[in-house]
Amino acid sequence: MSYDDTNIFAKILSGQIPCKKIYEDKFVLSFYDINPQKKIHALVIPKGRYSNLDDFSLNASSEEIVGLLKGINIVAKKLGISIDTGKGYRALVNIGEHGGQEVPHLHFHLFGGESTGRMIE
Ligand code: AMP
């Protein structure tokens, strides 16, 4: 699957569209979801051009994969929802059509700040 450079997260990464930034490093950008589903709803995206988790798993470098996972933990700590700084959270990735993915740039949703309820409702 080819990467769509016009997707909204590509535009956020290139600075064409603003975001409410939480954290940024060499590998990831994190910002608040524009339509929060829980008290805290953050997104963590890799800086590389990856359409979805399968694309990332197949094509990202080991450094990028570690960078994304470490980035999620850094963001959760920063938001006070990680296991050591808070009460935990839900990390969720939608993949493709049946997964309900709307934006074709890989993103992890982090939900927290309150109980996240049943996994599938
Ligand atoms: P998904 O359905 O997993 O692709 O999730 C896409 C998410 O991106 C949704 O939760 C949207 O609310 C969120 N979203 C869309 N546009 C923006 C934006 N400009 N800034 C922040 N979040 C956005």
Side-chain angles (χ1 to χ4, degrees):
M1 180 189 177
S2 62
Y3 181 80
D4 170 15
D5 281 297
T6 66
N7 81 75
I8 195 111
F9 294 169
K11 289 181 177 171
I12 286 175
L13 277 169
S14 67
Q16 289 173 70
I17 289 179
C19 69
K20 240 179 116 186
K21 193 194 287 188
I22 299 166
Y23 175 74
E24 181 173 14
D25 64 22
K26 188 176 162 195
F27 297 106
V28 301
L29 175 66
S30 175
F31 48 94
Y32 287 102
D33 195 290
I34 206 165
N35 181 24
Q37 301 300 308
K38 291 288 169 195
K39 217 177 249 177
I40 294 174
H41 184 174
L43 299 171
V44 184
I45 71 174
K47 287 199 165 168
R49 297 164 72 254
Y50 300 104
S51 303
N52 54 55
L53 186 60
D54 285 345
D55 181 20
F56 187 74
S57 303
L58 284 170
N59 299 311
S61 67
S62 303
E63 228 190 352
E64 287 176 302
I65 292 170
V66 171
L68 177 57
L69 289 177
K70 294 273 186 196
I72 289 168
N73 175 252
I74 292 168
V75 170
K77 270 195 172 126
K78 219 173 161 180
L79 293 172
I81 58 175
S82 71
I83 291 300
D84 52 341
T85 63
K87 294 189 171 177
Y89 60 103
R90 175 168 297 149
L92 179 143
V93 186
N94 295 320
I95 304 158
E97 189 185 337
H98 281 190
Q101 182 178 2
E102 286 172 6
V103 179
H105 181 111
L106 170 61
H107 49 283
F108 275 76
H109 295 260
L110 307 189
F111 301 104
E114 62 183 321
S115 172
T116 54
R118 289 163 58 91
M119 191 163 72
I120 303 279
E121 291 180 0

